[in-house]
Amino acid sequence: MYVSYYEYIAELGSGCLNPNCFTDMHFSVGNSTTQVDSEGEYSTSYFGDRARIIISEHDTDLPLFLYFAPTAMHGPLSAPSHTIHKYAALLEGFGNTARREFAAALLALDETVHLIAEQAVEAGVWDNMVTIVMSDNGAAPFAARPDEPFTLGANEGSNWPLRGRKFFLWEGGTRLPAFVSSPLLPPS
């Protein structure tokens, strides 16, 4: 199942043919679930905006668990045009257009995480917060693209020098960058 970056479409199996394709973007508060009606907004930005609202409306006397899991960095990759234009000079250094799209999507994710952190500081919860950043799997250098099905380099991922990739138990599929940060942790 996949949720697209702008249309919020999920698909079952391969190909988006009815009944395998459906809108799947909603949020829940308590016992209430609401369908999102923001089609056309970049999903990573939408998730970031929701996280910032949750932080800003949260009672700081109560604990808060916030799980932010954007679709960013999952193929087929897409980046907002304003990010591509903002970082055009930096992105020109990537000769491969797919790699450029990957970098732009990562920059958009980085900006979104920065805005969430700023909101946490502004709301006064940053000093009582533990941040864990991690990935779910290694890169998938073989990926399906509409114009080049299952082609090496189509996803522009690389796990070098590790062996393996996404879906494999070798280090390339399981050994991932991660970090924990918090003012609550003792200095190392």
Side-chain angles (χ1 to χ4, degrees):
M1 189 179 311
Y2 173 75
V3 179
S4 65
Y5 288 96
Y6 291 98
E7 293 83 26
Y8 314 147
I9 300 295
E11 57 184 85
L12 301 171
S14 61
C16 207
L17 304 172
N18 287 331
N20 293 336
C21 207
F22 54 94
T23 301
D24 186 31
M25 185 73 112
H26 60 275
F27 65 90
S28 300
V29 177
N31 293 328
S32 174
T33 299
T34 305
Q35 182 75 31
V36 171
D37 189 25
S38 297
E39 187 173 324
E41 183 179 355
Y42 189 62
S43 61
T44 300
S45 300
Y46 176 81
F47 294 145
D49 291 346
R50 288 294 312 153
R52 291 168 45 217
I53 290 168
I54 290 167
I55 291 168
S56 69
E57 294 177 351
H58 180 69
D59 180 352
T60 57
D61 292 332
L62 299 173
L64 170 66
F65 175 80
L66 177 67
Y67 180 72
F68 173 68
T71 53
M73 311 324 301
H74 283 84
L77 288 172
S78 181
S81 58
H82 69 271
T83 302
I84 293 169
H85 294 301
K86 179 179 180 180
Y87 295 102
L90 175 67
L91 295 171
E92 283 176 10
F94 295 93
N96 182 308
T97 56
R99 195 68 179 155
R100 208 172 321 170
E101 188 83 21
F102 182 94
L106 186 58
L107 287 164
L109 174 60
D110 187 53
E111 286 181 346
T112 299
V113 170
H114 176 78
L115 291 171
I116 293 169
E118 278 186 338
Q119 185 64 52
V121 170
E122 184 180 311
V125 299
W126 182 260
D127 290 336
N128 195 29
M129 187 167 122
V130 177
T131 303
I132 302 169
V133 176
M134 57 186 283
S135 181
D136 56 352
N137 51 255
F142 292 94
R145 290 174 61 93
D147 55 335
E148 302 173 9
F150 209 71
T151 306
L152 174 62
N155 201 27
E156 294 310 309
S158 173
N159 299 310
W160 187 87
L162 304 176
R163 179 181 182 193
R165 57 184 168 88
K166 181 177 180 174
F167 305 121
F168 282 73
L169 294 178
W170 288 310
E171 286 187 319
T174 60
R175 189 173 176 190
L176 309 166
F179 68 88
V180 177
S181 176
S182 174
L184 302 172
L185 297 173
S188 55

